[in-house]
Amino acid sequence: MKNFLTLLLISSVLIFQSCENRKKEPKTEKQISAKKIEESSVNANRFKSDLRPNENLELGKTYTDTVNYISANDESDEAIFTVKKDKDTISLIYYKDEIKPVRGDEIEIKWKMDSIRYAGDPEYLQYSEFLISSKKIKPLKLVDKKIKFLWRETSYNEALKTDINSIILNEKYIKTISEPEKAALAYIATFVGNECGWDGNANENRSNLKCKILWALGLGYQCSTQHLELIKYWFRSNKDILKEVGNCPTTPDGATIQDTFDEIFLETKNNEIIISFKASGFNMREEKSWNWTEKHFLKFKENELILTKKEVSKINRGTFEVSGN
């Protein structure tokens, strides 16, 4: 009887230990790594950010810095507020109701380092910059300048064994372009062809037309949400322009009837944007051609563009003969 009780006691202990071991499932490498990051960061107090690259930051402490605003994106799970300080670009997580400044505005931000577990991966703890608030210090002021934005050049195409006349863009200027200037050019480019072609085969809804100007400006396809929303924001008080872009055209190169830019000039002076361009067009079926010029005067006022005047020349019409007819 005594041996039986001893055996029963030993069996109970072994069963209990076995249950305990099953409860403590081994952690994955990702979980272990995340735990190490959490412990080392908190204990060693070594949080780092390009906003203050030479400091060890404290978790949860509020910092104040002066930066230049770049953009805000609230289409993902975590809204991202992007700024530039010195030569570094930094993205902060922010609340979606935060007022968005204008690209290039000098702003003061209050921010902190905090932890976040991203949706879909709750086991992985990370640390990031969080925006608490922002305040405009110095609004963007356009730099006075006059540039040639677009022109055409003819060069020999070895593959086609013929001369090709192509659009050339001022890439150097595009790298430093301000948001209102980008919006002004995007509006002009909406209605005149600029080497537009389907990216692959045309979609049923014609949503993959790649045009040279919009693509270079980082605005995606012709009539895309990114393209039209920029125009609608900057010209939000002009009902005529909003109606125009509501009928956004998708005309590729090779269409029977089409227009194209020959040159575009842009001038900024006293916070006014003046865009002048020459354009031409043709109707291949009827062997007709035309050309004209336009000049748009746009006042930049804080975070809006106001079309104050538009000059359109008389259309010069002519004819041509298609080779082989």
Side-chain angles (χ1 to χ4, degrees), residues 145-151 170 173-174 177 181 185 264-268 274 276:
K145 58 184 168 293
K146 186 172 184 179
I147 61 105
K148 192 173 187 177
F149 174 71
L150 176 151
W151 61 96
N170 190 330
Y173 163 69
I174 290 173
I177 192 170
E181 291 167 50
L185 286 167
I264 301 176
F265 287 89
L266 182 143
E267 181 180 3
T268 52
I274 303 168
S276 55

Side-chain angles (χ1 to χ4, degrees), residues 28 35 94 106 118 151 156 162 217 234 236 240 272 313:
T28 63
K35 185 67 175 174
Y94 80 107
E106 186 176 299
Y118 290 104
W151 61 96
Y156 184 74
T162 188
L217 294 175
W234 281 96
R236 58 190 175 277
D240 291 334
E272 183 179 41
S313 73

Side-chain angles (χ1 to χ4, degrees), residues 69 71-76 78-82 94 96 100:
Y69 173 76
S71 65
N73 181 358
D74 57 10
E75 294 180 358
S76 57
E78 284 77 33
I80 303 299
F81 192 92
T82 306
Y94 80 107
K96 296 182 181 182
K100 300 172 188 176

Side-chain angles (χ1 to χ4, degrees), residues 192-226:
V192 180
N194 49 102
E195 294 184 3
C196 298
W198 301 113
D199 193 2
N201 295 321
N203 294 338
E204 285 187 18
N205 56 2
R206 301 172 69 87
S207 63
N208 62 326
L209 186 63
K210 187 176 178 180
C211 296
K212 193 159 191 173
I213 293 177
L214 293 178
W215 202 261
L217 294 175
L219 295 175
Y221 296 123
Q222 172 83 352
C223 307
S224 66
T225 299
Q226 191 176 5

Side-chain angles (χ1 to χ4, degrees), residues 88-287:
D88 293 315
T89 300
I90 306 101
S91 295
L92 303 92
I93 296 172
Y94 80 107
Y95 297 107
K96 296 182 181 182
D97 58 354
E98 175 73 20
I99 296 173
K100 300 172 188 176
V102 173
R103 183 184 180 95
D105 280 349
E106 186 176 299
I107 61 175
E108 178 188 273
I109 61 169
K110 292 185 183 299
W111 62 282
K112 65 179 179 178
M113 291 295 300
D114 209 341
S115 60
I116 181 171
R117 295 184 189 273
Y118 290 104
D121 196 4
E123 294 295 329
Y124 190 56
L125 183 69
Q126 289 186 317
Y127 294 90
S128 180
E129 297 92 336
F130 280 75
L131 180 69
I132 298 172
S133 65
S134 65
K135 180 176 69 175
K136 186 182 294 187
I137 298 175
K138 187 189 296 181
L140 171 67
K141 187 179 188 304
L142 300 181
V143 178
D144 290 354
K145 58 184 168 293
K146 186 172 184 179
I147 61 105
K148 192 173 187 177
F149 174 71
L150 176 151
W151 61 96
R152 304 189 76 92
E153 289 183 3
T154 300
S155 59
Y156 184 74
N157 186 296
E158 188 65 37
L160 299 175
K161 305 297 182 184
T162 188
D163 288 336
I164 300 294
N165 185 263
S166 304
I167 286 175
I168 307 296
L169 300 179
N170 190 330
E171 300 290 348
K172 184 178 179 181
Y173 163 69
I174 290 173
K175 290 179 182 178
T176 61
I177 192 170
S178 69
E179 200 78 355
E181 291 167 50
K182 182 187 289 189
L185 286 167
Y187 166 61
I188 299 298
T190 301
F191 305 102
V192 180
N194 49 102
E195 294 184 3
C196 298
W198 301 113
D199 193 2
N201 295 321
N203 294 338
E204 285 187 18
N205 56 2
R206 301 172 69 87
S207 63
N208 62 326
L209 186 63
K210 187 176 178 180
C211 296
K212 193 159 191 173
I213 293 177
L214 293 178
W215 202 261
L217 294 175
L219 295 175
Y221 296 123
Q222 172 83 352
C223 307
S224 66
T225 299
Q226 191 176 5
H227 165 205
L228 297 183
E229 286 303 316
L230 181 74
I231 297 172
K232 289 175 182 178
Y233 172 78
W234 281 96
F235 292 95
R236 58 190 175 277
S237 297
N238 191 311
K239 293 181 180 179
D240 291 334
I241 289 178
L242 295 179
K243 185 177 180 180
E244 274 186 294
V245 298
N247 297 308
C248 182
T250 52
T251 306
D253 278 3
T256 302
I257 302 172
Q258 61 178 291
D259 298 320
T260 186
F261 286 112
D262 294 323
E263 63 180 24
I264 301 176
F265 287 89
L266 182 143
E267 181 180 3
T268 52
K269 188 175 182 180
N270 298 326
N271 261 10
E272 183 179 41
I273 301 172
I274 303 168
I275 296 180
S276 55
F277 68 83
K278 292 181 181 180
S280 56
F282 57 82
N283 182 326
M284 292 295 291
R285 185 181 297 110
E286 298 180 6
E287 298 183 349

